[in-house]
Amino acid sequence: MKINLQIKNFSKYLSTANLIECLNLLPGKYKTLTNEVYIFPSYTSYLLFTLKHFQILSFYSALISIILSLFSSSIDFGYYVVFSKNIYIFENNILKYIDSRLNTVKSNSKYETYKSYITNEIILNYRSMWTKYVLLDSLIHELTHALQHKEKRLSNIFINKSKKWNSLENEIEAVSESIKIFNKTHKDFIKILKIKGISINHSISPLSISYKFSIKIII
């Protein structure tokens, strides 16, 4: 059984063919989903999309998210919209996160010893690889919310807003599912995506989403 999602992929890094190949490895329950998935290169392109398709509620919601993000250190990689049942992923937000991790390379105690081997080409290659990996994980997280909605287990949106993210049962399940899926299929994912130097490091207690990164250089 293959995945039945309607995918509109505008990613600069992850091809639709590779994405579908990875998604076809998901458990059978995900293959019952028929939601539309949009992968935008930037949040701005998503805003323009909502205006073009007269999704006024989504447009104002997106504007509010932008304003709130100015007062928060967290970055939304994507979200599931209850009203439309669509999933939106924002590649530029993932890139910001990846760049924040790559910026720590120079502060590593071993950087001065090996900096001549860590070229811009190497950095950009890892940037591309890690972006694909986080994008896939983010999508699986949102697909879990879509599944919760389909099974009528998704909490009311107003209840979600009144509680902390790390206390929501829906979020705990989404992170748990991601951990289980990547534990089982990590080797397949990295082979399909042709990536290295990254793995999930999510936690349930306390709830958090994070990744392990490493850059291998040949001397």
Side-chain angles (χ1 to χ4, degrees):
M1 186 177 179
K2 294 185 177 181
I3 206 78
N4 288 307
L5 300 167
Q6 307 302 310
I7 300 174
K8 307 299 171 78
N9 179 23
F10 303 103
S11 167
K12 296 178 180 178
Y13 297 90
L14 179 56
S15 72
T16 302
N18 285 162
L19 176 59
I20 291 175
E21 191 174 354
C22 289
L23 294 177
N24 280 331
L25 297 176
L26 298 184
K29 59 186 177 182
Y30 288 90
K31 295 171 185 176
T32 65
L33 296 172
T34 58
N35 304 71
E36 291 186 4
V37 173
Y38 293 84
I39 301 174
F40 290 106
S42 69
Y43 206 84
T44 301
S45 58
Y46 167 62
L47 282 173
L48 294 174
F49 172 85
T50 59
L51 285 176
K52 181 178 179 180
H53 294 274
F54 301 102
Q55 297 178 1
I56 305 303
L57 185 61
S58 294
F59 175 76
Y60 282 112
S61 176
L63 283 180
I64 292 171
S65 294
I66 290 175
I67 294 171
L68 292 176
S69 69
L70 298 176
F71 304 93
S72 173
S73 58
S74 62
I75 304 174
D76 285 328
F77 297 154
Y79 45 70
Y80 173 72
V81 179
V82 174
F83 306 109
S84 64
K85 297 182 180 180
N86 292 345
I87 293 170
Y88 302 102
I89 304 293
F90 313 113
E91 192 168 64
N92 69 318
N93 285 357
I94 294 173
L95 284 165
K96 288 178 184 177
Y97 171 72
I98 297 300
D99 287 341
S100 71
R101 299 309 300 262
L102 285 170
N103 287 338
T104 66
V105 171
K106 292 184 179 180
S107 63
N108 188 287
S109 59
K110 296 181 180 179
Y111 177 73
E112 285 300 318
T113 304
Y114 299 105
K115 65 180 181 180
S116 60
Y117 300 98
I118 306 174
T119 64
N120 285 336
E121 183 180 357
I122 287 174
I123 293 294
L124 289 175
N125 187 37
Y126 275 93
R127 185 177 191 256
S128 174
M129 291 190 293
W130 294 352
T131 297
K132 291 189 287 184
Y133 190 92
V134 176
L135 195 159
L136 175 62
D137 181 41
S138 301
L139 178 53
I140 290 173
H141 183 103
E142 300 308 327
L143 286 173
T144 302
H145 290 322
L147 190 62
Q148 292 165 344
H149 192 192
K150 181 176 183 291
E151 296 174 349
K152 299 181 179 179
R153 297 186 295 106
L154 189 64
S155 300
N156 183 283
I157 186 173
F158 299 106
I159 294 177
N160 287 351
K161 293 294 184 182
S162 66
K163 293 184 177 181
K164 291 184 177 179
W165 175 84
N166 58 8
S167 68
L168 295 171
E169 290 185 4
N170 293 148
E171 296 298 342
I172 293 172
E173 181 185 349
V175 175
S176 297
E177 286 296 316
S178 180
I179 291 172
K180 287 191 291 186
I181 289 170
F182 275 81
N183 281 345
K184 182 180 179 181
T185 56
H186 172 80
K187 290 183 179 179
D188 294 312
F189 286 160
I190 62 174
K191 183 178 180 181
I192 293 168
L193 300 178
K194 295 181 175 62
I195 59 178
K196 59 184 176 181
I198 185 171
S199 62
I200 62 167
N201 191 34
H202 304 340
S203 169
I204 299 301
S205 182
L207 189 68
S208 68
I209 294 176
S210 63
Y211 305 86
K212 289 182 179 179
F213 300 93
S214 64
I215 295 177
K216 184 177 181 179
I217 57 175
I218 300 175
I219 299 177

